[in-house]
Amino acid sequence: PRVPPAPKSRIKVNDSLDPCKDILTEDIFDAIVQPASDEGKALYTYSGLCNAIIQYNSHHDEKFALMGDEVQIRAELAAFLAHTAVDTHGFSVTREDFHCVDPITGSDGRVYCKPCKEEHYNSETKTCAQNYFASEESYKSYCDVTRQVPQGCGCDNESVIQVNVPLPVDAGNIDTTGYIAASDAYFTRGALLISWNYDYYGASMSMTGDANFLCDNPDMVATNPQYAWGVGIYKWMEKMTFGTTGSTAHKQVLKGGNFGGTVQVLYGDLECPSNNWASSIHVDMVQDRVAQICKSGAALGVFLEMDKCDTPRDCLKCEGLKEIYDSCQKDGSCPDCATWTEFVRSSAPSVTPIRIEIPTFDNWNENFQTRSAADVGAPSWPSTTLVLLILSSVVGSLFTAI
């Protein structure tokens, strides 16, 4: 089947660079991606990301981390990794917590999850106070019955029921009440989070051209590194501000490193304005996004803007993001932001890297007074005379014209 095209940025593909070999080396990746959990370490791997980039770019004319110059590529990788760090809680969560409490790998090799209703879930202890099926006959989350093939994976709200988990012989005395097969549910997964049957359908088509690939086994996103990263790239490249129209995070970051625009595309309805929202969870998340872009931007040697584009057309902003960036440096809550520009190799137009100091006239005068002409490579007298003659001619012509 034909892979649907990604929205166009109208920026040229860079045929001279490889995003992994030339820019995002494994050492740089390791400085950014530091999972705390064993599941995260197994899933969010360097090779998985590089393979996902190759897979996506092989199917699409619009490339991920391969459009424009090196600065634009560095900026795109930095912004993408900043968002994925936040969405996965530091690359440590592989499945949505309260939809997959205490996962078990059965003797058949499949993963089984115990779903929990949000009001019964304790996020601190990661435990569920009440069996989901105490009040429900079937698992009813993340299936939009109005969006079936060819708009979404085929699903219904009656067929996903609790099952008997085939336990390994050495499993011991484990309570398997209230479990479902993880591969039967379209709950949230991925480096950039996807959920619902229609998201899995779109990601599957984008990555492989085969909707059945993820529709038949959505838990592939939580077990295979290439597809964990791959669905994130799909969302980055193809999620649009108004559903099927508007901008993408990919297009925004290419506009002079506009990080604020990427937040607006991906999470604007939840996090923009950034400093005045009822959900404390998203207040914390958007603050973390600022901290993470400073970390990944420094590692990749590139500066991104909080609220600016190199061109005003289609430039999106996340209200309040710049204020968070400024205030967190003052209160010390984002230490990487305070030193970010010290590591910049190439910066956005409005920022001069700290390591590059433009000499003032006083610097020039001091240097040239304390050195001989030979030391500083001064021009010979004949060439100096020629310059003076040219200047005299230009001045004379100006007076004549007046």
Side-chain angles (χ1 to χ4, degrees):
R2 181 175 179 270
V3 174
K8 301 294 184 183
S9 67
R10 303 189 185 282
I11 293 175
K12 291 183 178 180
V13 175
N14 190 317
D15 294 321
S16 63
L17 293 173
D18 182 295
C20 282
K21 293 179 182 178
D22 299 322
I23 297 177
L24 184 66
T25 64
E26 191 162 6
D27 286 343
I28 293 176
F29 176 89
D30 289 341
I32 301 170
V33 181
Q34 300 172 331
S37 70
D38 291 338
E39 295 84 359
K41 291 175 183 177
L43 189 64
Y44 302 113
T45 65
Y46 178 69
S47 61
L49 175 56
C50 293
N51 289 336
I53 293 173
I54 292 170
Q55 181 185 40
Y56 187 90
N57 289 347
S58 68
H59 288 302
H60 295 272
D61 292 333
E62 188 72 17
K63 313 294 185 185
F64 172 76
L66 207 58
M67 310 293 289
D69 59 25
E70 182 178 343
V71 177
Q72 289 170 301
I73 294 172
R74 287 180 180 276
E76 179 156 34
L77 287 165
F80 175 79
L81 289 171
H83 284 300
T84 56
V86 177
D87 280 16
T88 61
H89 298 275
F91 303 102
S92 295
V93 175
T94 60
R95 299 178 182 89
E96 189 173 4
D97 280 353
F98 67 88
H99 285 267
C100 192
V101 182
D102 299 331
I104 298 172
T105 301
S107 58
D108 56 358
R110 301 175 71 191
V111 174
Y112 295 84
C113 293
K114 181 167 64 177
C116 182
K117 291 194 172 182
E118 189 171 7
E119 60 267 26
H120 300 143
Y121 182 69
N122 186 319
S123 59
E124 294 183 359
T125 62
K126 299 187 183 302
T127 56
C128 187
Q130 180 177 305
N131 184 344
Y132 180 95
F133 295 101
S135 59
E136 301 286 351
E137 293 185 359
S138 61
Y139 178 76
K140 293 179 168 59
S141 297
Y142 294 118
C143 172
D144 186 341
V145 296
T146 68
R147 300 177 70 174
Q148 304 290 298
V149 179
Q151 295 179 319
C153 299
C155 64
D156 60 65
N157 287 320
E158 288 77 39
S159 60
V160 180
I161 59 176
Q162 58 181 328
V163 298
N164 293 319
V165 179
L167 292 174
V169 292
D170 58 349
N173 187 22
I174 298 177
D175 181 8
T176 60
T177 305
Y179 276 77
I180 62 172
S183 57
D184 288 340
Y186 299 107
F187 53 67
T188 306
R189 306 172 179 89
L192 284 182
L193 305 179
I194 68 165
S195 53
W196 293 89
N197 57 315
Y198 49 81
D199 253 0
Y200 282 90
Y201 184 94
S204 191
M205 288 295 293
S206 176
M207 292 188 300
T208 69
D210 178 9
N212 293 329
F213 184 77
L214 288 184
C215 287
D216 290 347
N217 186 9
D219 207 51
M220 182 79 73
V221 177
T223 57
N224 186 302
Q226 180 173 326
Y227 299 111
W229 288 113
V231 298
I233 293 174
Y234 152 74
K235 186 172 181 178
W236 180 263
M237 298 293 292
E238 301 183 31
K239 176 179 168 36
M240 305 180 79
T241 43
F242 304 108
T244 57
T245 61
S247 191
T248 64
H250 166 71
K251 291 166 69 174
Q252 286 298 308
V253 80
L254 293 178
K255 296 173 70 66
N258 180 23
F259 182 69
T262 69
V263 182
Q264 178 62 41
V265 170
L266 296 172
Y267 310 101
D269 55 341
L270 296 172
E271 298 178 7
C272 302
S274 309
N275 56 357
N276 185 28
W277 191 250
S279 170
S280 61
I281 293 175
H282 286 285
V283 169
D284 291 342
M285 289 181 76
V286 73
Q287 290 173 347
D288 196 17
R289 292 188 202 284
V290 171
Q292 291 297 332
I293 190 56
C294 296
K295 178 181 178 180
S296 60
L300 281 154
V302 65
F303 189 88
L304 285 85
E305 299 286 3
M306 296 297 127
D307 60 355
K308 294 179 182 178
C309 296
D310 55 1
T311 58
R313 182 180 179 183
D314 298 326
C315 179
L316 301 180
K317 297 181 180 180
C318 179
E319 183 182 345
L321 199 69
K322 182 64 164 59
E323 288 74 13
I324 290 176
Y325 173 70
D326 292 337
S327 64
C328 76
Q329 294 179 72
K330 294 177 181 178
D331 63 27
S333 60
C334 57
D336 288 316
C337 295
T339 59
W340 183 1
T341 53
E342 295 179 17
F343 300 95
V344 171
R345 291 167 51 107
S346 303
S347 66
S350 65
V351 177
T352 300
I354 289 177
R355 66 173 64 180
I356 299 174
E357 297 180 358
I358 301 174
T360 64
F361 179 79
D362 291 338
N363 298 144
W364 182 92
N365 192 39
E366 178 183 354
N367 288 338
F368 275 68
Q369 282 184 341
T370 57
R371 300 184 190 180
S372 68
D375 289 336
V376 298
S380 62
W381 282 112
S383 61
T384 304
T385 303
L386 179 60
V387 171
L388 291 173
L389 287 172
I390 293 171
L391 289 172
S392 298
S393 177
V394 171
V395 173
S397 298
L398 290 172
F399 277 106
T400 300
I402 294 172

